[in-house]
Amino acid sequence: MIKKQLTSLIKKQLTSSHLKKAVKAFPTVFGILGGIASLIGVFVSLIGVNNVALPAIISSIPDHFIFTIICAFFATFIISWIFTWQKSKVTYQVTGTTLTIEVSACNIFETDGTRVIHCVDTFDTALDDGNGNGIIKPRSVYGQFLSLPPEGEDNVATKIQKKLKNIKKESKDPNLPGNKDRYPIGTICDIQYKETDYCVVAFNHLKSGKNVVLEPMKINDYENFWDIFWEKIKTINIDIGQPLNITLMGNNFTDMPNIETRNILGLIIEHIYKANVRFNHIRICISDKDFEHIDFSEVPFICDYHYGQFRRN
């Protein structure tokens, strides 16, 4: 487990954004090391004046000048890389409350507490096999959830289908590619799998038709989803003393196609404030794909800014 976590941590530091930071810091680090090297050179010269034998590795530098320069540049870059090491977890205590918001680069399936998984409004459970069968991408968060091994006689899909029998439908659409029943956005299908609570939530609409296409989402639709979700989850029987884990869901808004990941994070945080949530700990899980688009050192400022926005409204 420790080896796996260490490997994951190092992998996160090999993103293009972090390497760019390391390159940017290179001249500064090189200058500092150059200054230190100069002082050592002066010291070594003084030792030489007194006819004291130099260590073999130092005395051989003039004979291996190019190799020495290459090693110096490589060592400087490694130090720059470590110097700009990206945080992967930040916690923020909301003023005047018991609520802690945690933003963490993690796999939601390895967290403690309740896990929120988003899906389309039909709650389809058929995985896409690459041959035109099924509509859920196996690599999506929902697809990974459906791919978990069975618990006894029931797999995840069976548990969801059983629970949906007791949830009110919104409409029926015979032209849908998978399930024909639609559920209102924000509908939560809560199940338990291997002693862990899951809340599967209808996040966006599936377009009517033979092809698997999602309805375009506007930023207002996104904000409305979070308003509905926080109201709905108050009615779900889950342990509020445990952390609630959500993912950084949402992108490609039609009215804001170039919205930055940090702004999506800010919207999620602002709606947590607005909802007056009953949880003491909410963890926002950042995937490997989104990790390089978020500067974790900015997270406290994002929290402060959106808390200010909430207070003004």
Side-chain angles (χ1 to χ4, degrees), residues 45-303:
S45 298
L46 293 175
I47 293 176
V49 169
N50 295 322
N51 296 317
V52 177
L54 299 175
I57 192 170
I58 296 177
S59 60
S60 66
I61 285 177
D63 299 327
H64 303 89
F65 181 75
I66 295 177
F67 177 73
T68 303
I69 292 297
I70 292 173
C71 289
F73 269 82
F74 180 74
T76 302
F77 183 78
I78 294 296
I79 293 171
S80 301
W81 179 63
I82 295 172
F83 181 73
T84 57
W85 193 273
Q86 167 78 299
K87 286 184 177 180
S88 59
K89 176 181 174 181
V90 175
T91 56
Y92 180 85
Q93 184 70 43
V94 180
T95 306
T97 72
T98 59
L99 173 63
T100 296
I101 296 175
E102 175 188 333
V103 180
S104 179
C106 61
N107 182 343
I108 191 170
F109 297 107
E110 296 176 356
T111 58
D112 60 314
T114 301
R115 301 165 184 172
V116 178
I117 310 294
H118 62 289
C119 67
V120 293
D121 62 335
T122 56
F123 287 93
D124 274 274
T125 56
L127 289 168
D128 182 2
D129 62 1
N131 297 316
N133 301 313
I135 69 171
I136 307 301
K137 295 180 180 179
R139 296 185 66 179
S140 68
V141 176
Y142 185 46
Q144 293 176 57
F145 181 45
L146 292 171
S147 301
L148 293 176
E151 181 183 33
E153 296 181 356
D154 290 343
N155 57 23
V156 171
T158 304
K159 287 176 176 286
I160 292 172
Q161 290 159 5
K162 286 181 178 179
K163 185 69 178 184
L164 286 175
K165 292 178 180 179
N166 301 317
I167 296 177
K168 186 177 180 180
K169 302 174 182 63
E170 181 178 54
S171 62
K172 184 179 285 289
D173 185 347
N175 296 318
L176 285 168
N179 290 348
K180 309 305 179 187
D181 295 321
R182 289 189 184 277
Y183 296 82
I185 292 297
T187 297
I188 296 174
C189 175
D190 58 305
I191 65 171
Q192 192 173 68
Y193 172 80
K194 293 193 174 178
E195 299 183 355
T196 298
D197 290 321
Y198 286 88
C199 291
V200 186
V201 57
F203 174 63
N204 46 10
H205 291 293
L206 189 63
K207 265 191 173 183
S208 182
K210 293 182 179 180
N211 297 323
V212 181
V213 182
L214 298 177
E215 288 280 2
M217 179 178 273
K218 294 184 177 181
I219 203 72
N220 283 341
D221 299 327
Y222 186 65
E223 296 198 64
N224 288 337
F225 161 78
W226 284 113
D227 289 337
I228 296 169
F229 170 76
W230 290 118
E231 283 302 310
K232 292 278 189 182
I233 203 163
K234 291 176 183 177
T235 65
I236 303 298
N237 183 26
I238 52 178
D239 185 357
I240 62 173
Q242 293 291 317
L244 181 74
N245 300 280
I246 60 179
T247 57
L248 193 68
M249 58 185 89
N251 54 27
N252 298 326
F253 304 113
T254 55
D255 53 344
M256 293 185 72
N258 298 316
I259 187 170
E260 295 183 1
T261 305
R262 66 191 301 276
N263 293 331
I264 296 175
L265 175 63
L267 285 173
I268 294 174
I269 291 171
E270 186 171 330
H271 281 270
I272 291 173
Y273 295 148
K274 285 174 61 179
N276 190 25
V277 297
R278 56 182 182 150
F279 296 92
N280 292 326
H281 188 168
I282 296 176
R283 181 184 293 117
I284 303 173
C285 302
I286 308 299
S287 67
D288 289 345
K289 182 181 71 173
D290 291 323
F291 178 76
E292 65 176 299
H293 300 298
I294 291 181
D295 185 342
F296 276 66
S297 64
E298 293 183 349
V299 170
F301 301 103
I302 294 173
C303 291

Side-chain angles (χ1 to χ4, degrees), residues 21-31 72-78 80:
K21 289 179 183 178
V23 170
K24 190 175 181 180
F26 183 89
T28 302
V29 176
F30 191 77
F73 269 82
F74 180 74
T76 302
F77 183 78
I78 294 296
S80 301

